[in-house]
Structure formats: structure tokens, C-alpha cells
Amino acid sequence: DGGITQSPKYLFRKEGQNVTLSCEQNLNHDAMYWYRQDPGQGLRLIYYSQIVNDFQKGDIAEGYSVSREKKESFPLTVTSAQKNPTAFYLCASRRIGDEKLFFGSGTQLSVL
Amino acid sequence: AQTVTQSQPEMSVQEAETVTLSCTYDTSESDYYLFWYKQPPSRQMILVIRQEAYKQQNATENRFSVNFQKAAKSFSLKISDSQLGDAAMYFCAYTTYSGGGADGLTFGKGTHLIIQP
């Protein structure tokens, strides 16, 4: 079945450590997105990518980095510069020209 | 920048009753899409209903319907015959039409819907 796979489901970060969240889709979608969800804050856009080897900052990109080397993969790195990384991270994708966004099941990141 | 406002942090309704969740948005665009997403305790985001701004007719999906007031920039969700499975966070979202809205959706902060048995 086609879909978006996020891994791991739970992730713990130590002080000063970079961690990478995985997002893979087999929907052949062009655009991919990373959102951060905090309690009472809704979803906020971190980064997005419309094509391979190109990506744009969203509203809260500071402390994060991404890459898009393959159409189906859009990993998110939470760097040590992100001082408040504890949140639920959602990856999404869509076909260009279609407004519907498909979501993965999310990764909960916590700080040890 | 576009903004989406959900003024009801929490709503409660009796099972089988009807409830309406409010959403307002701010935009200078004329063509756009509006959505309601449901997030149950599993935290999976599920699309409930969508509305295209150029369509005057309100969208309907089974027990879910919207009241889209373009001039007032209002987009409320009505859930009829509420069921226990409707209990969830509900998010209103917006995206522009041009280019298929590739710059992503803007979300409200959500409304927590409680269903009283």
C-alpha cells in the first residue's frame, strides 16, 4: 500500500546531540513537508521541498536542517542549535497540482 | 502572511447531538482551499473535508458539513449525530490555489472535541 513512513516512532536526544528523523514516501509525490506540533500550538511548518535537491525554509526553520537527495526521502535533522526540540514531528507529502496533503504517523522527540 | 484562528480550544457535545466548530482566516488571495483535519489520540492526521474558495456550495461529507462564508472569511465545521469516534483534535487549515499550494498548509491551533456518552 502507498503511504508515508516515519521512523522512529519515539526518539530521545541528549544535550548537544544532533538527531535525524526519517520520512519516506512511495506515493510518487513531488512535494514533501515537515511540521512541528506542540500542545496548544497546532502544526507549524519547518521546511518543505518541491523537487529533488531543492528545499525552502518554513516558519520555524532555525535549529533544523533537511536534505532531498531522492524524490521519496526527506530526512529532518534536529541540530544542537534547537534549544527546545521536544515536540511531535509530522512529515507530509502531496502531488503538485493537488491540494490534498497526506501525513505520516509522526515521531515524538524528547530530550533526555 | 496568512493566519488561521480557531477560537474554541475545547468543545463538548452529547452523543447524537450536533456541534459546530469555528474557524476564521485572513488572506488577500482570492483562490484558495480550506480544510478540516481530525487528529484522534493515535495522532494520525485525517482529512475530514475540504472546500474550494471559488465554489459557493458548501462541502458535505456524510455527517460533516461546512459553512463557508467567503466575505466574512469564516469556515465552520458542523458535525451531525455526534459519535464517540468523533472525539479528537480538529484543525482548520488553509492553502493558496496558485501552483497547487506547494508552500504547504497553514493550520489553526485546534479545537479539542469531547463527546459525552
Side-chain angles (χ1 to χ4, degrees), chain A:
Chain A
D1 289 339
I4 302 175
T5 301
Q6 289 189 242
S7 62
K9 191 173 180 65
Y10 299 96
L11 187 58
F12 297 91
R13 194 189 89 166
K14 294 180 180 178
E15 196 74 31
Q17 186 181 44
N18 292 354
V19 293
T20 297
L21 285 61
S22 171
C23 178
E24 304 275 333
Q25 55 98 0
N26 60 5
L27 299 166
N28 198 34
H29 285 173
D30 306 287
M32 299 187 72
Y33 307 81
W34 275 106
Y35 285 90
R36 169 177 172 145
Q37 184 177 18
D38 296 279
Q41 291 294 320
L43 280 68
R44 293 181 290 170
L45 183 63
I46 306 173
Y47 267 99
Y48 64 99
S49 168
Q50 299 181 46
I51 56 173
V52 173
N53 293 323
D54 187 48
F55 46 83
Q56 288 76 42
K57 292 181 179 180
D59 301 319
I60 55 165
E62 186 174 350
Y64 299 97
S65 66
V66 292
S67 62
R68 187 86 184 277
E69 297 178 2
K70 299 186 294 182
K71 186 177 183 178
E72 59 270 23
S73 178
F74 191 42
L76 173 73
T77 296
V78 184
T79 74
S80 57
Q82 174 48 246
K83 298 306 179 186
N84 185 24
T86 296
F88 186 61
Y89 292 85
L90 282 160
C91 179
S93 72
R94 80 212 263 176
R95 181 176 57 83
I96 297 294
D98 185 348
E99 75 287 354
K100 291 192 299 293
L101 208 60
F102 290 79
F103 284 88
S105 56
T107 294
Q108 175 64 49
L109 174 62
S110 303
V111 176
L112 288 175

Side-chain angles (χ1 to χ4, degrees), chain B:
Chain B
Q2 292 81 15
T3 57
V4 177
T5 302
Q6 293 179 250
S7 59
Q8 306 152 316
E10 186 172 280
M11 293 282 286
S12 181
V13 64
Q14 291 289 129
E15 195 177 2
E17 296 295 310
T18 295
V19 64
T20 299
L21 308 184
S22 301
C23 173
T24 58
Y25 58 95
D26 185 26
T27 183
S28 57
E29 303 285 338
S30 58
D31 290 329
Y32 49 87
Y33 286 92
L34 296 161
F35 307 83
W36 280 98
Y37 277 86
K38 170 184 177 181
Q39 188 180 44
S42 67
R43 299 207 278 186
Q44 179 69 50
M45 294 289 284
I46 302 165
L47 178 63
V48 174
I49 199 165
R50 69 178 180 182
Q51 175 78 41
E52 297 153 71
Y54 64 88
K55 289 188 177 179
Q56 293 188 349
Q57 186 173 7
N58 289 324
T60 299
E61 290 286 346
N62 300 312
R63 296 183 297 106
F64 299 87
S65 61
V66 299
N67 183 6
F68 173 50
Q69 301 290 328
K70 191 172 184 179
K73 295 180 182 175
S74 171
F75 183 61
S76 60
L77 174 70
K78 185 172 82 171
I79 305 174
S80 304
D81 185 27
S82 298
Q83 300 176 2
L84 294 177
D86 295 334
M89 284 292 293
Y90 285 82
F91 293 97
C92 180
Y94 160 101
T95 192
T96 54
Y97 180 81
S98 58
D103 55 346
L105 272 60
T106 299
F107 287 85
K109 293 188 176 182
T111 296
H112 181 211
L113 179 63
I114 299 168
I115 310 294
Q116 305 278 6

